[in-house]
Amino acid sequence: MSPRPDAPFKDDLKLSLQRAFDMLARGAKNRRSPFHTPVFATQGGQFGVDARTVVLREFVADRRRLRFHTDTRTQKCAHVTDKSNGLFVFYDPGARIQLRAYGPCSLHMDDQVADDAWAQSQHFSRRCYMAPEGPGSLATGPTSGLPEAVEGRVPTEEETLAGRPHFSVMLTTITSLDWLFLAHDGHRRARFSWDQEGDGTGSCRKEWLIP
Ligand SMILES: Cc1cc2nc3c(=O)[nH]c(=O)nc-3n(C[C@H](O)[C@H](O)[C@H](O)COP(=O)(O)O)c2cc1C
C-alpha cells in the first residue's frame, strides 16, 4: 500500500521521528503552533505529582534539548533535583499527533545559560519575575502580585533587574520519545530512545508499539 499523501511518515519510523523533531522545532518558533505550549510534568509536591502548561522557547535537535523559562520559586523547580526526569506532553489536534518527551532536567539560575536567556528576553516577559512573593504564595485578595508601579505597563530595563534573581531556565534532554499518530484507518504508535544522555543525537532505538 502506498503511503497516504498527507502522512508519508505513517508507516516509516525514521520519517515519524523526523516529523516529531520538525514539530518541536516549529513549536518553539511559532507562537500559533499547539506545540508552543506543552504540559510539563514532574514528581513531587502535595500530591506526589504535578503538571502545568509552559512556553517552549527552544528545541535544539542535535542535542535533543528542550528549553523553557520559569520562576525559580515555583514548585516545579523544587521538584527538579539534579538530573531528575521531567515529562513534556504535546498535542496538535490538526496534525492529530501526540508526543511525550521524557528526560533529565537541569535548572539554570545563576550561570551563562540563564544570563543569555535573560539578555534575550523582552521587558514585558521579565515583568513576570518581578513579584516580591513567589508564585503560589497565599494572597490576601485577588492580585497579580506585581509591584503597583509596574502594574499595567512594560517596565524599564532597570526596573526589570528586580526580577533577575527569580528567573531561571529549565533544560531537558530527551532520552525517550513516545509518538502517537491518530488516523481513521489505524493509529500508529512508536517509541524512540537514546542511551546517550549528553550532547549529540547518539544512536536512536526506534520501535513500533501497539497504539
Ligand atoms: C499558556 C501558559 C503558558 C505558561 N508558560 C509558563 C512558562 O513558560 N513557565 C512557567 O514557569 N510557567 C508558565 N505558565 C504558568 C504555569 O502553568 C504554572 O501555573 C506556574 O508555572 C506554577 O507552576 P508550579 O507551581 O507547578 O511550578 C504558563 C501558563 C499558561 C496558561
Side-chain angles (χ1 to χ4, degrees), residues 72-160:
T72 308
R73 300 167 293 179
T74 56
Q75 282 301 305
K76 67 182 88 52
C77 296
H79 298 176
V80 171
T81 52
D82 192 33
K83 303 278 181 203
S84 62
N85 278 323
L87 159 64
F88 288 84
V89 182
F90 300 85
Y91 180 57
D92 183 329
R96 301 180 312 278
I97 289 169
Q98 171 186 268
L99 284 187
R100 284 180 287 174
Y102 305 81
C105 302
S106 59
L107 189 65
H108 300 260
M109 297 177 270
D110 200 13
D111 59 10
Q112 200 59 46
V113 172
D115 286 346
D116 289 349
W118 177 260
Q120 283 162 26
S121 63
Q122 312 257 347
H123 290 183
F124 184 71
S125 310
R126 292 184 188 180
R127 196 177 67 155
C128 302
Y129 304 94
M130 292 176 64
E133 301 294 328
S137 305
L138 272 180
T140 51
T143 177
S144 70
L146 292 172
E148 233 177 271
V150 295
E151 195 84 66
R153 70 170 175 87
V154 178
T156 63
E157 167 92 26
E158 201 182 337
E159 283 172 330
T160 66

